[in-house]
Amino acid sequence: MDGAVLVALTAAIGNLLQGWDNATIAGAVLYIKKEFNLQTQAGIEGLIVAMSLIGATVITTFSGPVSDMFGRRPMLIISSILYFVSGLVMSWSPSINVLLLARLLDGFGIGLSVTLVPVYISETAPPEIRGRLNTFPQFTGSVGMFLSYCMVFSMSLTVSPSWRLMLGVLSIPSLAYFFLALFYLPESPRWLVSKGRMKEAKKVLQRLRGRDDVSVEVTRILSARESFPLAGEMALLMEGLGAGGEVSIEEYIISPDDELDDNHEHAVDKDQIKLYGAEEGQSWIAKPVTGQSTLGLVSRHGSVANQSALMDPMVTLFGSVHEKLPEMGSMRSMLFTNFGSMFNISENQVKHENWDEESQRDGDKHSDASGAESDDNVRSPLLSRQGSGTEGPPTSLCMRQGSNYNTANAGEHASMGIGGGWQLAYRKDEKKEGALKRIYLHQEAGVGSRRGSIMSLPGCDAHGEGDTIHAAALVSQSVLRTESILAQQTIEEAVEKQTGPITKAIGWRALFEPGVKHALIVGVGIQILQQFSGINGVLYYTPQILEQAGVGVLLSNLGIGSESASFLISGLTTLLMLPSIGIAMRLMDIAGRRLLLLTTLPVLLLSLIVLVLGNVISMGEVTHAVISTISVVVYFCCFVTGFGPIPNILCSEIFPTSVRGICIAICALTFWIGDIIVTYSLPVMLNTIGLAGVFGIYAVVCAIAWVFVFLKVPETKGMPLEVITEFFAVGANKQPGKE
């Protein structure tokens, strides 16, 4: 996944520029005041700093819909241009008015990058490391702040520091960002699919995933009694365009094809699904279960009505997936990843197929080639049927040549896997002529099999009692139709020949669909709570605390002036964040977003309470300084581990592709408005209720945030974006009172 990592890191340079600018203006404004005699014009001084916030707020209003129309990549390129131009103008600024204009342009660049970089990373990252990659913006932003403070500190030691040079340096990294965005960053594959540009999307996925087998063949439906899976990420991206409709949760019993017998009377024979493993001799059958809902997702879904009205059913649905991971704790222990490609054959075929060894060897040789024939492979069959003639049932199955797939790595690179242990399959819709149902399958671990994982099964030669696996399934309407399958078209051909539009009309009405509205409540709510949780207040107060701790005296003894000391103190504060963000990167896809929030928010609350007590209880100056310094450090470390990066990560994950840009714009607009309110209300509150009162309000907000996260925020780690949106649709339709 090196391609996806490098692309995410490159895109996150936009946030590095934002952090750089935030720190630079904090230092430059001291010298701007002196040159333009603004000591008595606090309003103009505040406007210089706040103009970038105003610009970011304005551009955010349009960034989402515009990125949906023209793409994510062009918006990132425009962002780099705005950064570059604003840096040049600020380095020239002969007057306050010109400087304000430059700050406005800078705010436009900030708004585009902060809003769209998380979206871009989420749409290009694999599900298993999406959280880690989406922590890059937080990390690069802090790196930018630290580097900027170092630059400002070094300039402040000169005889006559130049604020124009401080602000103008922004043009240098922004120029590098422009060339990287123009010549290195690809367009989001999900956006390309939404516009029907399938060939371009395939090439981008090949680059991001580092392999040539992302495009797939749509397999023929041979019988109404069978469901035939469609492998590949291209299929997943296309199905994401139809997310948000009616979704049902079903449960399947999966076993060797001779395992289900009369002992399972609740299993329904129709809609039988055959699954074929990557290893020789493995063949399995999946059957829907009726009259029983005590396992996995279906069990939890069935008991939603009995839960507290305060607990969001969606949180329980998401949690049931993560709570029932296989005991081995590895993706390799997942049932479906061990299947590899799930191959479909006709009903009259023998149960245990033999791989054509010669063809397999040829395929392995071909998969070691340079990949020059990958484009031709798009339109060649995924499976070839070997037999004595062209008529009659096939006698064996073999992989098509050049598919870059072999049974040795089936556990890691299953062509049917769509991430997080989920699989994508299809079946005919019996109620609508020509329609297909898509099925997202996930193993229900810890139930069914007495032997544990499929990995423990030596093959299909002996199946003892208990070799059944239960799988949960999200079933909804596919964007494909039966004629596409029957024509054995590729994904690209299937899309081109759709009789109706794949994407829904994008408009404000789409925001009121139950799943989208539900996701907006989560996204907007967590953005509001983040802004009022105290980070701006603690940043404002940090120099005072460190000054009380004696850092300022120590620096003055070293010959460092008060202004330079404040820059150095701020740089050291930012430096403390970097190791904590590294921890967040490590834990984001292991512990998960929800657990990190529930763990770090109480620490934020405790830190704020200590700061309140430190300002209302009389204690020695040294004791007060030590306790306050420790509280501030702990607050920073926990904030950047959880409540700092996670709101943006969640907002980039929970919305359907068709309205993701609009919804992200709404969440980002909430972020910037909250930022403006907190920034301008802080001095007023300090004068009215004092520091203890301000931190007391922030503490109450942190407590409310913990309750909100516990009741409303689901765990999304490791799940494909398309599956996440399906869960939101299910959860919204299963609210108490809607049953």
Side-chain angles (χ1 to χ4, degrees):
M1 298 300 178
D2 289 345
V5 173
L6 292 176
V7 164
L9 191 58
T10 302
I13 295 176
N15 295 78
L16 183 147
L17 298 177
Q18 180 223 2
W20 179 288
D21 177 76
N22 288 346
T24 304
I25 192 62
V29 72
L30 298 178
Y31 305 103
I32 294 173
K33 287 167 55 178
K34 294 178 181 179
E35 179 173 332
F36 294 105
N37 299 316
L38 301 178
Q39 287 83 353
T40 59
Q41 302 182 51
I44 299 297
E45 176 189 347
L47 190 60
I48 292 173
V49 176
M51 188 58 74
S52 63
L53 292 179
I54 296 173
T57 304
V58 172
I59 201 68
T60 296
T61 307
F62 309 100
S63 61
V66 173
S67 70
D68 282 339
M69 287 190 293
F70 300 105
R72 321 305 192 202
R73 177 174 171 269
M75 295 299 102
L76 296 181
I77 295 174
I78 292 175
S79 172
S80 67
I81 295 174
L82 290 169
Y83 276 128
F84 177 73
V85 173
S86 66
L88 290 180
V89 177
M90 284 188 290
S91 66
W92 167 67
S93 299
S95 65
I96 289 295
N97 291 334
V98 175
L99 179 60
L100 291 176
L101 175 61
R103 295 292 298 159
L104 184 66
L105 294 176
D106 181 58
F108 291 162
I110 291 174
L112 288 177
S113 61
V114 171
T115 303
L116 297 178
V117 166
V119 177
Y120 179 81
I121 293 176
S122 287
E123 292 185 343
T124 56
E128 293 80 4
I129 59 173
R130 187 177 61 241
R132 181 183 304 178
L133 299 189
N134 241 330
T135 313
F136 281 173
Q138 181 82 29
F139 182 78
T140 56
S142 297
V143 169
M145 291 178 66
F146 174 71
L147 294 176
S148 178
Y149 277 127
C150 291
M151 177 198 69
V152 173
F153 170 72
S154 62
M155 288 186 177
S156 70
L157 298 177
T158 62
V159 177
S160 56
S162 172
W163 62 265
R164 290 181 176 84
L165 181 60
M166 291 180 186
L167 296 175
V169 170
L170 177 68
S171 296
I172 299 175
S174 62
L175 187 62
Y177 185 41
F178 168 76
F179 285 111
L180 287 171
L182 185 63
F183 297 110
Y184 181 73
L185 288 184
E187 182 54 85
S188 163
R190 283 179 167 83
W191 183 85
L192 290 172
V193 169
S194 72
K195 300 302 178 182
R197 295 158 63 176
M198 305 301 294
K199 292 183 179 180
E200 294 176 61
K202 180 214 44 165
K203 291 179 180 179
V204 171
L205 282 177
Q206 288 173 344
R207 172 184 168 187
L208 293 173
R209 304 298 181 255
R211 64 179 190 265
D212 295 330
D213 61 344
V214 296
S215 54
V216 295
E217 177 81 10
V218 181
T219 316
R220 181 186 297 274
I221 292 183
L222 298 173
S223 168
R225 293 171 58 84
E226 292 186 349
S227 171
F228 291 88
L230 174 64
E233 198 169 356
M234 288 285 289
L236 175 67
L237 268 56
M238 186 174 64
E239 291 298 342
L241 303 178
E246 183 178 351
V247 184
S248 63
I249 297 182
E250 298 179 4
E251 182 183 4
Y252 295 101
I253 294 179
I254 301 177
S255 72
D257 56 6
D258 58 353
E259 184 66 25
L260 290 178
D261 51 29
D262 294 337
N263 293 331
H264 298 279
E265 296 179 357
H266 53 269
V268 182
D269 288 335
K270 70 175 183 177
D271 298 326
Q272 173 178 294
I273 302 175
K274 275 197 175 184
L275 312 173
Y276 287 84
E279 297 181 8
E280 179 181 355
Q282 283 190 348
S283 58
W284 302 79
I285 288 179
K287 292 188 177 182
V289 175
T290 57
Q292 175 176 307
S293 58
T294 59
L295 298 170
L297 281 175
V298 180
S299 171
R300 297 172 187 272
H301 170 69
S303 62
V304 163
N306 298 325
Q307 296 177 8
S308 169
L310 296 177
M311 174 64 75
D312 196 323
M314 174 195 60
V315 175
T316 306
L317 291 175
F318 274 91
S320 65
V321 174
H322 301 289
E323 290 171 8
K324 302 187 75 64
L325 290 176
E327 295 177 1
M328 294 180 67
S330 168
M331 287 299 175
R332 294 188 183 185
S333 65
M334 292 287 187
L335 165 71
F336 296 115
T337 50
N338 290 300
F339 278 162
S341 292
M342 295 188 290
F343 305 133
N344 305 282
I345 57 177
S346 58
E347 290 183 340
N348 56 359
Q349 186 173 344
V350 293
K351 292 180 180 177
H352 305 306
E353 299 292 340
N354 295 318
W355 292 91
D356 187 298
E357 296 181 1
E358 181 177 353
S359 297
Q360 183 64 38
R361 286 195 297 269
D362 291 341
D364 291 340
K365 293 177 182 178
H366 210 84
S367 65
D368 293 333
S370 61
E373 300 180 9
S374 60
D375 289 339
D376 294 336
N377 290 332
V378 177
R379 301 183 181 275
S380 62
L382 181 64
L383 297 176
S384 60
R385 301 181 180 273
Q386 308 295 322
S388 56
T390 57
E391 300 294 335
T395 58
S396 65
L397 295 174
C398 72
M399 296 297 297
R400 69 167 167 82
Q401 295 183 352
S403 64
N404 278 351
Y405 184 90
N406 56 66
T407 58
N409 61 6
E412 292 183 89
H413 302 289
S415 61
M416 270 304 298
I418 57 176
W422 289 87
Q423 297 286 84
L424 176 59
Y426 288 87
R427 74 160 182 248
K428 275 187 175 180
D429 188 345
E430 301 296 335
K431 297 181 180 180
K432 295 182 180 180
E433 183 178 357
L436 289 174
K437 288 285 189 180
R438 64 167 173 261
I439 308 172
Y440 294 122
L441 293 162
H442 193 276
Q443 180 182 354
E444 291 282 279
V447 293
S449 176
R450 298 183 182 180
R451 303 186 187 184
S453 149
I454 291 296
M455 293 183 69
S456 63
L457 301 178
C460 296
D461 51 346
H463 304 299
E465 183 182 359
D467 289 342
T468 59
I469 297 294
H470 290 79
L474 293 173
V475 182
S476 55
Q477 200 71 44
S478 170
V479 298
L480 286 176
R481 296 185 61 80
T482 307
E483 51 264 30
S484 301
I485 305 293
L486 295 176
Q488 295 230 17
Q489 296 170 350
T490 63
I491 292 293
E492 295 150 54
E493 293 170 339
V495 171
E496 291 171 0
K497 297 184 179 181
Q498 287 293 308
T499 57
I502 294 178
T503 56
K504 299 179 180 179
I506 299 176
W508 292 104
R509 183 177 299 179
L511 302 181
F512 295 96
E513 293 184 1
V516 177
K517 183 168 64 175
H518 204 146
L520 274 174
I521 292 174
V522 174
V524 171
I526 200 168
Q527 290 286 4
I528 292 174
L529 292 169
Q530 183 211 43
Q531 282 302 306
F532 288 90
S533 64
I535 183 61
N536 288 333
V538 176
L539 282 171
Y540 180 89
Y541 185 54
T542 296
Q544 290 180 252
I545 291 179
L546 295 180
E547 182 74 24
Q548 292 175 357
V551 176
V553 175
L554 176 62
L555 295 176
S556 65
N557 292 335
L558 297 176
I560 299 176
S562 59
E563 292 178 351
S564 300
S566 66
F567 301 148
L568 183 58
I569 289 172
S570 298
L572 292 174
T573 303
T574 306
L575 184 61
L576 292 174
M577 300 180 184
L578 298 182
S580 299
I581 300 175
I583 294 174
M585 287 184 184
R586 176 64 179 169
L587 297 179
M588 197 64 67
D589 292 309
I590 299 176
R593 293 80 156 132
R594 177 179 167 86
L595 182 58
L596 281 177
L597 287 175
L598 293 176
T599 303
T600 56
L601 278 171
V603 182
L604 298 182
L605 174 61
L606 181 62
S607 301
L608 291 170
I609 291 175
V610 171
L611 289 173
V612 171
L613 295 177
N615 284 274
V616 298
I617 299 177
S618 298
M619 59 182 68
E621 184 175 342
V622 175
T623 303
H624 177 266
V626 170
I627 292 177
S628 298
T629 301
I630 293 175
S631 298
V632 167
V633 170
V634 171
Y635 182 94
F636 278 138
C637 292
C638 288
F639 184 87
V640 298
T641 302
F643 218 18
I646 290 178
N648 283 339
I649 293 176
L650 282 173
C651 289
S652 65
E653 294 176 329
I654 60 180
F655 301 113
T657 302
S658 58
V659 294
R660 184 172 291 128
I662 296 177
C663 293
I664 284 293
I666 294 173
C667 293
L669 190 62
T670 303
F671 171 87
W672 291 116
I673 292 176
D675 193 3
I676 293 174
I677 293 174
V678 171
T679 300
Y680 277 92
S681 65
L682 180 59
V684 177
M685 290 193 298
L686 287 174
N687 292 329
T688 55
I689 60 178
L691 200 58
V694 171
F695 285 150
I697 293 176
Y698 292 157
V700 172
V701 173
C702 285
I704 296 174
W706 190 92
V707 174
F708 180 82
V709 170
F710 181 77
L711 296 178
K712 293 292 184 182
V713 178
E715 180 54 73
T716 59
K717 67 174 181 179
M719 299 178 67
L721 298 180
E722 290 72 16
V723 175
I724 292 174
T725 57
E726 296 283 77
F727 266 98
F728 267 93
V730 173
N733 290 323
K734 296 302 176 182
Q735 293 288 329
K738 292 186 179 182
E739 296 286 345

mmCIF file with all atom_site columns, all heavy atoms in Angstrom, residues 345-358:
data_model
loop_
_atom_site.group_PDB
_atom_site.id
_atom_site.type_symbol
_atom_site.label_atom_id
_atom_site.label_alt_id
_atom_site.label_comp_id
_atom_site.label_asym_id
_atom_site.label_entity_id
_atom_site.label_seq_id
_atom_site.pdbx_PDB_ins_code
_atom_site.Cartn_x
_atom_site.Cartn_y
_atom_site.Cartn_z
_atom_site.occupancy
_atom_site.B_iso_or_equiv
_atom_site.pdbx_formal_charge
_atom_site.auth_seq_id
_atom_site.auth_comp_id
_atom_site.auth_asym_id
_atom_site.auth_atom_id
_atom_site.pdbx_PDB_model_num
ATOM 1   N N   . ILE A 1 345 ? -20.104 -21.920 -10.228 1.00 0.00 ? 345 ILE A N   1
ATOM 2   C CA  . ILE A 1 345 ? -20.236 -22.866 -11.325 1.00 0.00 ? 345 ILE A CA  1
ATOM 3   C C   . ILE A 1 345 ? -21.660 -23.384 -11.342 1.00 0.00 ? 345 ILE A C   1
ATOM 4   O O   . ILE A 1 345 ? -22.429 -23.184 -10.421 1.00 0.00 ? 345 ILE A O   1
ATOM 5   C CB  . ILE A 1 345 ? -19.239 -24.045 -11.180 1.00 0.00 ? 345 ILE A CB  1
ATOM 6   C CG1 . ILE A 1 345 ? -19.448 -24.737 -9.837  1.00 0.00 ? 345 ILE A CG1 1
ATOM 7   C CG2 . ILE A 1 345 ? -17.822 -23.568 -11.275 1.00 0.00 ? 345 ILE A CG2 1
ATOM 8   C CD1 . ILE A 1 345 ? -18.576 -25.948 -9.640  1.00 0.00 ? 345 ILE A CD1 1
ATOM 9   N N   . SER A 1 346 ? -22.008 -24.075 -12.387 1.00 0.00 ? 346 SER A N   1
ATOM 10  C CA  . SER A 1 346 ? -23.376 -24.525 -12.541 1.00 0.00 ? 346 SER A CA  1
ATOM 11  C C   . SER A 1 346 ? -23.703 -25.622 -11.541 1.00 0.00 ? 346 SER A C   1
ATOM 12  O O   . SER A 1 346 ? -22.843 -26.284 -10.990 1.00 0.00 ? 346 SER A O   1
ATOM 13  C CB  . SER A 1 346 ? -23.586 -25.040 -13.968 1.00 0.00 ? 346 SER A CB  1
ATOM 14  O OG  . SER A 1 346 ? -22.686 -26.087 -14.236 1.00 0.00 ? 346 SER A OG  1
ATOM 15  N N   . GLU A 1 347 ? -24.998 -25.832 -11.333 1.00 0.00 ? 347 GLU A N   1
ATOM 16  C CA  . GLU A 1 347 ? -25.439 -26.759 -10.312 1.00 0.00 ? 347 GLU A CA  1
ATOM 17  C C   . GLU A 1 347 ? -25.046 -28.190 -10.618 1.00 0.00 ? 347 GLU A C   1
ATOM 18  O O   . GLU A 1 347 ? -24.895 -29.000 -9.715  1.00 0.00 ? 347 GLU A O   1
ATOM 19  C CB  . GLU A 1 347 ? -26.957 -26.670 -10.167 1.00 0.00 ? 347 GLU A CB  1
ATOM 20  C CG  . GLU A 1 347 ? -27.395 -25.365 -9.547  1.00 0.00 ? 347 GLU A CG  1
ATOM 21  C CD  . GLU A 1 347 ? -28.880 -25.334 -9.346  1.00 0.00 ? 347 GLU A CD  1
ATOM 22  O OE1 . GLU A 1 347 ? -29.576 -26.134 -10.012 1.00 0.00 ? 347 GLU A OE1 1
ATOM 23  O OE2 . GLU A 1 347 ? -29.353 -24.536 -8.550  1.00 0.00 ? 347 GLU A OE2 1
ATOM 24  N N   . ASN A 1 348 ? -24.912 -28.543 -11.900 1.00 0.00 ? 348 ASN A N   1
ATOM 25  C CA  . ASN A 1 348 ? -24.593 -29.914 -12.241 1.00 0.00 ? 348 ASN A CA  1
ATOM 26  C C   . ASN A 1 348 ? -23.095 -30.180 -12.201 1.00 0.00 ? 348 ASN A C   1
ATOM 27  O O   . ASN A 1 348 ? -22.642 -31.245 -12.602 1.00 0.00 ? 348 ASN A O   1
ATOM 28  C CB  . ASN A 1 348 ? -25.152 -30.268 -13.631 1.00 0.00 ? 348 ASN A CB  1
ATOM 29  C CG  . ASN A 1 348 ? -24.633 -29.301 -14.690 1.00 0.00 ? 348 ASN A CG  1
ATOM 30  O OD1 . ASN A 1 348 ? -23.886 -28.374 -14.383 1.00 0.00 ? 348 ASN A OD1 1
ATOM 31  N ND2 . ASN A 1 348 ? -25.056 -29.536 -15.936 1.00 0.00 ? 348 ASN A ND2 1
ATOM 32  N N   . GLN A 1 349 ? -22.343 -29.216 -11.733 1.00 0.00 ? 349 GLN A N   1
ATOM 33  C CA  . GLN A 1 349 ? -20.904 -29.449 -11.616 1.00 0.00 ? 349 GLN A CA  1
ATOM 34  C C   . GLN A 1 349 ? -20.619 -30.237 -10.358 1.00 0.00 ? 349 GLN A C   1
ATOM 35  O O   . GLN A 1 349 ? -21.309 -30.122 -9.362  1.00 0.00 ? 349 GLN A O   1
ATOM 36  C CB  . GLN A 1 349 ? -20.162 -28.112 -11.580 1.00 0.00 ? 349 GLN A CB  1
ATOM 37  C CG  . GLN A 1 349 ? -18.656 -28.279 -11.602 1.00 0.00 ? 349 GLN A CG  1
ATOM 38  C CD  . GLN A 1 349 ? -17.987 -26.937 -11.744 1.00 0.00 ? 349 GLN A CD  1
ATOM 39  O OE1 . GLN A 1 349 ? -18.638 -25.970 -12.107 1.00 0.00 ? 349 GLN A OE1 1
ATOM 40  N NE2 . GLN A 1 349 ? -16.719 -26.869 -11.473 1.00 0.00 ? 349 GLN A NE2 1
ATOM 41  N N   . VAL A 1 350 ? -19.585 -31.005 -10.367 1.00 0.00 ? 350 VAL A N   1
ATOM 42  C CA  . VAL A 1 350 ? -19.218 -31.798 -9.194  1.00 0.00 ? 350 VAL A CA  1
ATOM 43  C C   . VAL A 1 350 ? -18.837 -30.875 -8.068  1.00 0.00 ? 350 VAL A C   1
ATOM 44  O O   . VAL A 1 350 ? -18.391 -29.762 -8.273  1.00 0.00 ? 350 VAL A O   1
ATOM 45  C CB  . VAL A 1 350 ? -18.029 -32.735 -9.526  1.00 0.00 ? 350 VAL A CB  1
ATOM 46  C CG1 . VAL A 1 350 ? -18.455 -33.781 -10.530 1.00 0.00 ? 350 VAL A CG1 1
ATOM 47  C CG2 . VAL A 1 350 ? -16.830 -31.952 -10.031 1.00 0.00 ? 350 VAL A CG2 1
ATOM 48  N N   . LYS A 1 351 ? -18.961 -31.350 -6.820  1.00 0.00 ? 351 LYS A N   1
ATOM 49  C CA  . LYS A 1 351 ? -18.786 -30.496 -5.660  1.00 0.00 ? 351 LYS A CA  1
ATOM 50  C C   . LYS A 1 351 ? -17.340 -30.109 -5.448  1.00 0.00 ? 351 LYS A C   1
ATOM 51  O O   . LYS A 1 351 ? -17.037 -28.997 -5.063  1.00 0.00 ? 351 LYS A O   1
ATOM 52  C CB  . LYS A 1 351 ? -19.309 -31.206 -4.410  1.00 0.00 ? 351 LYS A CB  1
ATOM 53  C CG  . LYS A 1 351 ? -20.814 -31.382 -4.425  1.00 0.00 ? 351 LYS A CG  1
ATOM 54  C CD  . LYS A 1 351 ? -21.258 -32.097 -3.172  1.00 0.00 ? 351 LYS A CD  1
ATOM 55  C CE  . LYS A 1 351 ? -22.765 -32.281 -3.170  1.00 0.00 ? 351 LYS A CE  1
ATOM 56  N NZ  . LYS A 1 351 ? -23.222 -33.028 -2.001  1.00 0.00 ? 351 LYS A NZ  1
ATOM 57  N N   . HIS A 1 352 ? -16.421 -31.001 -5.615  1.00 0.00 ? 352 HIS A N   1
ATOM 58  C CA  . HIS A 1 352 ? -15.023 -30.717 -5.322  1.00 0.00 ? 352 HIS A CA  1
ATOM 59  C C   . HIS A 1 352 ? -14.243 -30.684 -6.616  1.00 0.00 ? 352 HIS A C   1
ATOM 60  O O   . HIS A 1 352 ? -13.937 -31.715 -7.202  1.00 0.00 ? 352 HIS A O   1
ATOM 61  C CB  . HIS A 1 352 ? -14.435 -31.783 -4.393  1.00 0.00 ? 352 HIS A CB  1
ATOM 62  C CG  . HIS A 1 352 ? -15.228 -31.941 -3.132  1.00 0.00 ? 352 HIS A CG  1
ATOM 63  N ND1 . HIS A 1 352 ? -15.520 -30.881 -2.312  1.00 0.00 ? 352 HIS A ND1 1
ATOM 64  C CD2 . HIS A 1 352 ? -15.795 -33.030 -2.565  1.00 0.00 ? 352 HIS A CD2 1
ATOM 65  C CE1 . HIS A 1 352 ? -16.224 -31.315 -1.271  1.00 0.00 ? 352 HIS A CE1 1
ATOM 66  N NE2 . HIS A 1 352 ? -16.402 -32.606 -1.423  1.00 0.00 ? 352 HIS A NE2 1
ATOM 67  N N   . GLU A 1 353 ? -13.956 -29.467 -7.055  1.00 0.00 ? 353 GLU A N   1
ATOM 68  C CA  . GLU A 1 353 ? -13.285 -29.277 -8.329  1.00 0.00 ? 353 GLU A CA  1
ATOM 69  C C   . GLU A 1 353 ? -11.789 -29.432 -8.160  1.00 0.00 ? 353 GLU A C   1
ATOM 70  O O   . GLU A 1 353 ? -11.215 -29.174 -7.105  1.00 0.00 ? 353 GLU A O   1
ATOM 71  C CB  . GLU A 1 353 ? -13.603 -27.886 -8.868  1.00 0.00 ? 353 GLU A CB  1
ATOM 72  C CG  . GLU A 1 353 ? -15.080 -27.629 -9.132  1.00 0.00 ? 353 GLU A CG  1
ATOM 73  C CD  . GLU A 1 353 ? -15.596 -28.462 -10.273 1.00 0.00 ? 353 GLU A CD  1
ATOM 74  O OE1 . GLU A 1 353 ? -14.766 -28.928 -11.067 1.00 0.00 ? 353 GLU A OE1 1
ATOM 75  O OE2 . GLU A 1 353 ? -16.801 -28.655 -10.347 1.00 0.00 ? 353 GLU A OE2 1
ATOM 76  N N   . ASN A 1 354 ? -11.137 -29.836 -9.241  1.00 0.00 ? 354 ASN A N   1
ATOM 77  C CA  . ASN A 1 354 ? -9.681  -29.921 -9.253  1.00 0.00 ? 354 ASN A CA  1
ATOM 78  C C   . ASN A 1 354 ? -9.135  -28.794 -10.102 1.00 0.00 ? 354 ASN A C   1
ATOM 79  O O   . ASN A 1 354 ? -9.577  -28.569 -11.213 1.00 0.00 ? 354 ASN A O   1
ATOM 80  C CB  . ASN A 1 354 ? -9.222  -31.265 -9.844  1.00 0.00 ? 354 ASN A CB  1
ATOM 81  C CG  . ASN A 1 354 ? -9.645  -32.434 -8.995  1.00 0.00 ? 354 ASN A CG  1
ATOM 82  O OD1 . ASN A 1 354 ? -9.541  -32.360 -7.767  1.00 0.00 ? 354 ASN A OD1 1
ATOM 83  N ND2 . ASN A 1 354 ? -10.133 -33.489 -9.629  1.00 0.00 ? 354 ASN A ND2 1
ATOM 84  N N   . TRP A 1 355 ? -8.168  -28.076 -9.555  1.00 0.00 ? 355 TRP A N   1
ATOM 85  C CA  . TRP A 1 355 ? -7.540  -27.006 -10.320 1.00 0.00 ? 355 TRP A CA  1
ATOM 86  C C   . TRP A 1 355 ? -6.719  -27.601 -11.455 1.00 0.00 ? 355 TRP A C   1
ATOM 87  O O   . TRP A 1 355 ? -6.078  -28.615 -11.304 1.00 0.00 ? 355 TRP A O   1
ATOM 88  C CB  . TRP A 1 355 ? -6.615  -26.181 -9.427  1.00 0.00 ? 355 TRP A CB  1
ATOM 89  C CG  . TRP A 1 355 ? -7.328  -25.401 -8.400  1.00 0.00 ? 355 TRP A CG  1
ATOM 90  C CD1 . TRP A 1 355 ? -7.643  -25.778 -7.138  1.00 0.00 ? 355 TRP A CD1 1
ATOM 91  C CD2 . TRP A 1 355 ? -7.857  -24.090 -8.557  1.00 0.00 ? 355 TRP A CD2 1
ATOM 92  N NE1 . TRP A 1 355 ? -8.324  -24.797 -6.494  1.00 0.00 ? 355 TRP A NE1 1
ATOM 93  C CE2 . TRP A 1 355 ? -8.456  -23.747 -7.331  1.00 0.00 ? 355 TRP A CE2 1
ATOM 94  C CE3 . TRP A 1 355 ? -7.873  -23.163 -9.602  1.00 0.00 ? 355 TRP A CE3 1
ATOM 95  C CZ2 . TRP A 1 355 ? -9.073  -22.531 -7.127  1.00 0.00 ? 355 TRP A CZ2 1
ATOM 96  C CZ3 . TRP A 1 355 ? -8.475  -21.953 -9.391  1.00 0.00 ? 355 TRP A CZ3 1
ATOM 97  C CH2 . TRP A 1 355 ? -9.068  -21.653 -8.175  1.00 0.00 ? 355 TRP A CH2 1
ATOM 98  N N   . ASP A 1 356 ? -6.761  -26.943 -12.578 1.00 0.00 ? 356 ASP A N   1
ATOM 99  C CA  . ASP A 1 356 ? -5.937  -27.343 -13.702 1.00 0.00 ? 356 ASP A CA  1
ATOM 100 C C   . ASP A 1 356 ? -4.513  -26.895 -13.417 1.00 0.00 ? 356 ASP A C   1
ATOM 101 O O   . ASP A 1 356 ? -4.180  -25.722 -13.499 1.00 0.00 ? 356 ASP A O   1
ATOM 102 C CB  . ASP A 1 356 ? -6.470  -26.677 -14.982 1.00 0.00 ? 356 ASP A CB  1
ATOM 103 C CG  . ASP A 1 356 ? -5.766  -27.192 -16.218 1.00 0.00 ? 356 ASP A CG  1
ATOM 104 O OD1 . ASP A 1 356 ? -4.535  -27.000 -16.297 1.00 0.00 ? 356 ASP A OD1 1
ATOM 105 O OD2 . ASP A 1 356 ? -6.442  -27.757 -17.083 1.00 0.00 ? 356 ASP A OD2 1
ATOM 106 N N   . GLU A 1 357 ? -3.659  -27.841 -13.037 1.00 0.00 ? 357 GLU A N   1
ATOM 107 C CA  . GLU A 1 357 ? -2.323  -27.489 -12.570 1.00 0.00 ? 357 GLU A CA  1
ATOM 108 C C   . GLU A 1 357 ? -1.497  -26.814 -13.654 1.00 0.00 ? 357 GLU A C   1
ATOM 109 O O   . GLU A 1 357 ? -0.761  -25.865 -13.395 1.00 0.00 ? 357 GLU A O   1
ATOM 110 C CB  . GLU A 1 357 ? -1.599  -28.743 -12.076 1.00 0.00 ? 357 GLU A CB  1
ATOM 111 C CG  . GLU A 1 357 ? -2.286  -29.365 -10.856 1.00 0.00 ? 357 GLU A CG  1
ATOM 112 C CD  . GLU A 1 357 ? -1.531  -30.586 -10.365 1.00 0.00 ? 357 GLU A CD  1
ATOM 113 O OE1 . GLU A 1 357 ? -0.486  -30.901 -10.982 1.00 0.00 ? 357 GLU A OE1 1
ATOM 114 O OE2 . GLU A 1 357 ? -1.971  -31.200 -9.402  1.00 0.00 ? 357 GLU A OE2 1
ATOM 115 N N   . GLU A 1 358 ? -1.621  -27.299 -14.888 1.00 0.00 ? 358 GLU A N   1
ATOM 116 C CA  . GLU A 1 358 ? -0.827  -26.699 -15.946 1.00 0.00 ? 358 GLU A CA  1
ATOM 117 C C   . GLU A 1 358 ? -1.244  -25.255 -16.188 1.00 0.00 ? 358 GLU A C   1
ATOM 118 O O   . GLU A 1 358 ? -0.406  -24.363 -16.326 1.00 0.00 ? 358 GLU A O   1
ATOM 119 C CB  . GLU A 1 358 ? -0.975  -27.514 -17.235 1.00 0.00 ? 358 GLU A CB  1
ATOM 120 C CG  . GLU A 1 358 ? -0.143  -26.955 -18.396 1.00 0.00 ? 358 GLU A CG  1
ATOM 121 C CD  . GLU A 1 358 ? -0.263  -27.821 -19.635 1.00 0.00 ? 358 GLU A CD  1
ATOM 122 O OE1 . GLU A 1 358 ? -0.858  -28.870 -19.540 1.00 0.00 ? 358 GLU A OE1 1
ATOM 123 O OE2 . GLU A 1 358 ? 0.238   -27.435 -20.682 1.00 0.00 ? 358 GLU A OE2 1
#
